[in-house]
Amino acid sequence: MKVFVLFVATILVASQCHGASFRSFPLKMTTENGDDDSYTEMRCASWRLAAEAHNIFGWETIPEECVEATANYIEGKQYRSDSKTVNQQAHFFARARDIDENDVILFSIDGTVLSNVPYYSQHGYGVEKFNSTRYDEEFVNKGDAPALPETLRNYRYLVNLGYKIIFLSGRHESKRAVTEANLKAAGYHTWEKLILKDPSNNSPNSLEYKKAERAKLVQQGYRIVAVIGDQWSDLLGLPKGLRSFKLPNPMYYIY
């Protein structure tokens, strides 16, 4: 009987931890005094931490109860402060190394170097399911995304140190012209390569696609010193950079 109970408990824990949406958890709870907004704020902060740490993954939308908390985080000072801390650590790491001519720093684009907050602020800060057609029409094709300021500052530091910059994005090759123009308009004026997804690419997901592209770079003789991205799929899988730096993004999850 004890073995059976232990088995059932193990299954229940695994089902909650292994890729479960946070909607599986009782996010909206009441205290002895009734509804407590500060308690919801605290729970949403805990959800955001778990999502950023990849303890919660595979989610399609943020919890409905967390829209206001997510908006407050993104539009307040904490989001930029978190971004600054991550970029500073990447800069400190890169600065401490002897630079080789084949050393490169990889950046993702959307949510990493270009801010897509203007789009997500109009779509519930992640409470709506992602629509790729709408995203391209309302955001990518306009080509006016602003730079994420702390990433732009880090980019300039890294260029001045002598690193080659490579942008690796899941954007389709058909978006090359608008992406190049947007990057330059936002302040990213030089790079070694801009890698976009070829129509013939049949990778099953973003993680496998970016893994394969990093492998090509290594085969070409580059040494990937650091990978900087806002999604875990930007960072996971081999080959990796010598260091990986995860920027904050609690609005969406890409596998």
Side-chain angles (χ1 to χ4, degrees), residues 50-110:
E52 293 287 10
H54 215 213
N55 293 319
I56 298 172
F57 56 94
W59 46 279
E60 294 183 337
T61 64
I62 68 170
E64 292 179 7
E65 295 83 355
C66 293
V67 173
E68 183 177 357
T70 303
N72 291 341
Y73 170 74
I74 293 294
E75 303 295 350
K77 295 179 179 179
Q78 191 63 55
Y79 175 56
R80 179 162 180 174
S81 177
D82 292 346
S83 179
K84 180 178 181 178
T85 297
V86 175
N87 275 295
Q88 280 182 332
Q89 293 305 310
H91 172 234
F92 295 156
F93 173 72
R95 186 181 64 185
R97 299 189 56 80
D98 293 328
I99 303 174
D100 183 86
E101 63 178 4
N102 293 319
D103 284 352
V104 296
I105 308 287
L106 264 62
F107 285 91
S108 181
I109 293 181
D110 293 58

Side-chain angles (χ1 to χ4, degrees), residues 11 24 42 52 81 95 127 137 149 151 172 188 202 205 229 244:
I11 294 299
S24 302
M42 180 181 68
E52 293 287 10
S81 177
R95 186 181 64 185
V127 77
E137 291 176 352
T151 304
H172 291 169
Y188 303 95
N202 58 1
N205 52 51
S244 297

Side-chain angles (χ1 to χ4, degrees), residues 117-129:
V117 170
Y119 173 83
Y120 278 93
S121 65
Q122 299 301 310
H123 295 277
Y125 292 92
V127 77
E128 297 179 14
K129 285 189 177 182

